[in-house]
Amino acid sequence: MPTIIMLHIFSSLLAKLSLPKLHQFGARLGRILFFISSGSAAVQRRNLLQSQLVSTDITAVLKANAEESGKSLIETLAIWQKSDDALLDLVKQVHGWQHITAALEAKKGLIFLTPHMGCFEITSIYYGAKLPITILYRPAKLKWLQNLMNVGRARPGVTLAEANTQGVRKLMQALKRGEAIGILPDQIPAEGEGEWAPFFGKPAYTMTLASKLAVKTGATVIMAFGERLADGEGYTIHLTLVESIATSTLLNQAIEKQIAQKPEQYLWSYNRWKQRRHAIKQ
């Protein structure tokens, strides 16, 4: 209980800060964590090398990525406590809204894919302020954190769907109504809910749900990326039409293409390959 109270107080204090201050704080925290957490830093380096997206000084990119990861942590805690109006003011530009207009006219639903990149929290909040969206989520391993997450994400227009049978039913119902759903496509699925597919040239256990929903409903698939602008100026939301995610390989290729646009803002410390030994056995 004391931990919950302290976290609520901390996030409430963060919510009072401006975005430049939040990002300054986050960048410093990211640098500190990078130097004191050798295990996480090693995963970050190994994953970035595996991607082969960096042809220059990898040390500089790693430091920049550590800062972006720190910003992500701090801004997320603040976002969960900030008002809708304050958050919407942070979105400076949106590129690709025409894809949403076309999808709504098709009336087959819309699947947003939002990898662990940039500010992925802002994308659903922005869309939910305009049109209904149902977001798939996996409960936090730390149970005391779940309530804060749910309250922070369940905004007007945003419905949460837990990653279980009932949650998948909610997603299907939303698509049938011609509405939007949101999925973190690079989240490692539970056993039996994915299949092995190459991700930057190495097998990664990849969710099959997004592909199945796209094939079954014919919904439009759009990659959503909330780019974190420099100096805490705000966010630019990029909406990119994805031709097909009919297979897990195509899904991963779409994610790779998105990450390549701004690799320093991807969460490389999130190890998508951590279960690779099982793929080798298969």
Side-chain angles (χ1 to χ4, degrees), residues 103-104 106-111 174-180 218-221:
L104 295 175
K107 297 181 180 179
K108 291 186 178 181
L110 174 59
I111 300 175
L175 291 174
K176 287 180 179 179
R177 292 192 298 268
E179 296 175 0
T220 300
V221 180

Side-chain angles (χ1 to χ4, degrees), residues 13-243:
L13 291 174
L14 289 176
K16 298 180 185 299
L17 298 178
S18 66
L19 192 61
K21 292 293 184 183
L22 286 170
H23 282 179
Q24 288 172 15
F25 178 26
R28 293 192 186 99
L29 178 62
R31 288 195 296 269
I32 292 171
L33 292 176
F34 179 78
F35 286 111
I36 67 173
S37 179
S38 57
S40 179
V43 170
Q44 182 184 355
R45 175 183 290 273
R46 185 168 64 248
N47 290 348
L48 188 55
L49 284 171
Q50 176 65 40
S51 75
Q52 298 185 342
L53 291 176
V54 180
S55 57
T56 55
D57 182 10
I58 190 172
T59 301
V61 178
L62 282 169
K63 289 180 179 179
N65 185 239
E67 291 183 358
E68 295 297 326
S69 298
K71 292 176 187 178
S72 179
L73 173 62
I74 294 301
E75 75 185 359
T76 296
L77 290 173
I79 283 172
W80 287 345
Q81 295 283 350
K82 280 184 176 290
S83 69
D84 293 342
D85 289 341
L87 292 173
L88 295 177
D89 285 343
L90 297 177
V91 178
K92 304 307 179 184
Q93 294 185 72
V94 178
H95 300 301
W97 191 267
Q98 70 274 13
H99 302 311
I100 292 175
T101 302
L104 295 175
E105 291 175 354
K107 297 181 180 179
K108 291 186 178 181
L110 174 59
I111 300 175
F112 282 113
L113 302 177
T114 312
H116 289 85
M117 183 175 179
C119 184
F120 44 88
E121 297 283 351
I122 200 69
T123 56
S124 60
I125 293 172
Y126 182 85
Y127 187 88
K130 299 177 179 297
L131 295 160
I133 183 171
T134 301
I135 301 297
L136 183 71
Y137 77 96
R138 190 172 298 281
K141 292 181 179 179
L142 302 174
K143 300 300 182 183
W144 50 265
L145 181 60
Q146 191 59 54
N147 182 62
L148 180 63
M149 290 175 58
N150 286 353
V151 171
R153 289 173 171 172
R155 306 285 176 143
V158 180
T159 300
L160 300 181
E162 188 173 342
N164 54 30
T165 302
Q166 185 177 357
V168 173
R169 191 176 297 118
K170 282 185 179 181
L171 298 182
M172 279 297 301
Q173 291 170 346
L175 291 174
K176 287 180 179 179
R177 292 192 298 268
E179 296 175 0
I181 66 170
I183 295 176
L184 283 167
D186 57 343
Q187 190 168 43
I188 299 174
E191 185 176 353
E193 297 178 1
E195 62 184 19
W196 296 96
F199 181 63
F200 288 116
K202 187 176 180 180
Y205 196 55
T206 305
M207 70 156 56
T208 56
L209 177 61
S211 298
K212 289 177 179 178
L213 290 173
V215 171
K216 187 171 184 177
T217 64
T220 300
V221 180
I222 293 178
M223 191 72 68
F225 166 42
E227 181 186 0
R228 193 177 294 113
L229 302 179
D231 303 318
E233 292 183 1
Y235 306 98
T236 292
I237 296 179
H238 301 274
L239 304 169
T240 306
L241 186 65
V242 179
E243 279 192 26

Side-chain angles (χ1 to χ4, degrees), residues 156 178 211 252 256 271 274-275:
S211 298
N252 279 344
E256 290 171 359
N271 191 7
K274 67 179 181 180
Q275 301 181 66

